[in-house]
Amino acid sequence: MPAAVAAAVLLGAAAVPNAATATTVQTVEISGFAFNPAVLNVTAGDTIRFVNHDQEAHTVVAQSGAFTSSGLDTNDQWTVRITKPGKYPYFCSLHPYMKGTIVVRAARGMH
Amino acid sequence: MQRKDFLGHVAWTGAGIAYAMSAGGLMTGTALARGVTGSIDFVQISNSHIGFHQEANPDVSATLQSAVNAINALPDQPKFVIHTGDVTHLSKPEQFGTAKDILAQLRAPLIVLPGEHDFIGQDYNSFFQAFPTPKGGKQWFSWDQNGTHFVALINVFDFEKMGLLGNDQLTWLKRDLAAQPSSMPIVASRRCVLKRSNPPTNRWRIATASHALWNC
Ligand SMILES: [Cu+2]
């Protein structure tokens, strides 16, 4: 078994306020050729972790091109931290019918 | 000349498919494992998925090696061997390296087309560095072989659109096919998706000389 992939991408030019506070990590489970939950609500600055539980490899690719994961083998995980509020629809580039969305809300005091 | 369209979707079980063009212009494919007699025009192998290590096949490198050995053992060597996509499982450098080392042992000329597993991370360079196109540069191409016109197309550049070729390629293809005499049998090779749990997204198809192309 290869070592779990642990790559992180930082998105968005906006600085995260109170960067000293620990960021929240939210997880999207990939299993049965689906992202769970399909729609994930996070706060700007949160880290989103994708974990692949399938025997098949998957990827996480933003439709906008904002992020692209490496190939996630079984039990691999990949994290992305999004600081810019917005809707981020994404799909698996190996099975494009696998789709999900991350909804990023502004952090408190960020307006 | 009587010519029939031939549409085949053949599951690859580890040894490759041998194709022969008959005098009538019909392309026939036979699994190498069944034993092939007579002349072979080319051999197709596909979906090696080097780097895959799950139950379905814990040693994919050995499987590819045995395919290469079987092809090399053919008394009449094929004019070329084509690997139609998913050479690697995760587009990793060591996976491209292993695939390249094994495929380099082939006695016949080799053509490798990319699959979506070879373009993970929208990285196209790793694949084309390991397997440059025959003339370099252009990533789709065509060639003539003993009176047959072959076209190699790539439909995984933008896989979200599920196997579309894109305008650049279609424009090129139109021009390429228009230049062919109508008597020339045309083989369009696209990678085929042979997945255990996937709906098949595209298939091997042979375009007629009247320049018809099928879509999925
Ligand atoms: Cu997938």
Side-chain angles (χ1 to χ4, degrees), chain B residues 34 70-71 132 139 143 150 190:
Chain B
R34 289 193 188 152
I71 295 164
Q139 294 149 347
W143 71 101
F150 289 87
R190 286 164 66 148

Side-chain angles (χ1 to χ4, degrees), chain A residues 30-105:
Chain A
I30 309 174
S31 66
F33 288 76
F35 296 104
N36 295 300
V39 177
L40 180 71
N41 293 299
V42 304
T43 303
D46 284 356
T47 295
I48 303 114
R49 175 173 51 206
F50 293 83
V51 186
N52 180 18
H53 301 286
D54 276 346
Q55 295 275 297
E56 181 79 23
H58 299 294
T59 69
V60 183
V61 180
Q63 267 170 28
S64 65
F67 52 83
T68 298
S69 78
S70 48
L72 301 184
D73 215 338
T74 307
N75 296 326
D76 278 354
Q77 50 178 282
W78 178 79
T79 61
V80 62
R81 185 163 170 253
I82 308 177
T83 58
K84 204 176 157 202
K87 251 187 172 180
Y88 294 82
Y90 64 88
F91 64 101
C92 167
S93 68
L94 302 175
H95 318 99
Y97 54 87
M98 292 173 60
K99 289 177 193 295
T101 304
I102 300 166
V103 181
V104 182
R105 277 167 313 200

Side-chain angles (χ1 to χ4, degrees), chain B:
Chain B
M1 178 163 68
Q2 180 79 24
R3 182 171 51 241
K4 285 183 100 178
D5 301 339
F6 175 80
L7 177 71
H9 185 205
V10 278
W12 178 52
T13 50
I17 310 287
Y19 289 84
M21 182 71 84
S22 73
L26 181 66
M27 185 72 73
T28 53
T30 316
L32 266 190
R34 289 193 188 152
V36 174
T37 53
S39 81
I40 296 169
D41 283 292
F42 68 98
V43 172
Q44 178 202 9
I45 53 180
S46 197
N47 293 59
S48 294
H49 282 268
I50 296 302
F52 180 88
H53 52 80
Q54 306 294 333
E55 267 171 68
N57 186 347
D59 194 351
V60 288
S61 299
T63 303
L64 180 59
Q65 182 67 61
S66 67
V68 167
N69 293 347
I71 295 164
N72 281 345
L74 290 168
D76 290 321
Q77 282 293 291
K79 304 205 175 62
F80 63 90
V81 176
I82 186 164
H83 191 303
T84 50
D86 290 356
V87 177
T88 70
H89 193 49
L90 295 169
S91 304
K92 291 186 177 168
E94 66 272 19
Q95 297 175 351
F96 280 115
T98 301
K100 198 177 166 179
D101 288 349
I102 297 171
L103 290 169
Q105 298 165 28
L106 281 165
R107 292 164 61 199
L110 171 70
I111 293 164
V112 184
L113 301 183
E116 70 277 12
H117 277 258
D118 303 314
F119 280 175
I120 286 176
Q122 264 64 23
D123 165 23
Y124 309 129
N125 287 339
S126 300
F127 174 86
F128 288 113
Q129 266 166 23
F131 302 105
T133 52
K135 288 168 193 161
K138 204 168 268 173
Q139 294 149 347
W140 46 87
F141 52 94
S142 63
W143 71 101
D144 293 339
Q145 189 101 52
N146 297 58
T148 301
H149 186 68
F150 289 87
V151 185
L153 303 172
I154 297 170
N155 66 339
V156 289
F157 280 123
D158 188 358
F159 206 61
E160 190 199 356
K161 295 186 181 129
M162 212 62 160
L164 294 187
L165 293 167
N167 281 336
D168 286 359
Q169 223 170 151
L170 285 173
T171 305
W172 171 86
L173 180 63
K174 220 173 208 175
R175 210 173 298 143
D176 181 83
L177 293 183
Q180 302 309 316
S182 62
S183 61
M184 174 87 91
I186 293 174
V187 178
S189 58
R190 286 164 66 148
R191 79 178 269 349
C192 54
V193 173
L194 308 170
K195 287 282 172 69
R196 293 164 296 280
S197 42
N198 232 8
T201 52
N202 53 43
R203 296 167 176 216
W204 263 69
R205 63 214 61 205
I206 294 177
T208 64
S210 59
H211 306 167
L213 285 172
W214 285 279
N215 283 313
C216 303

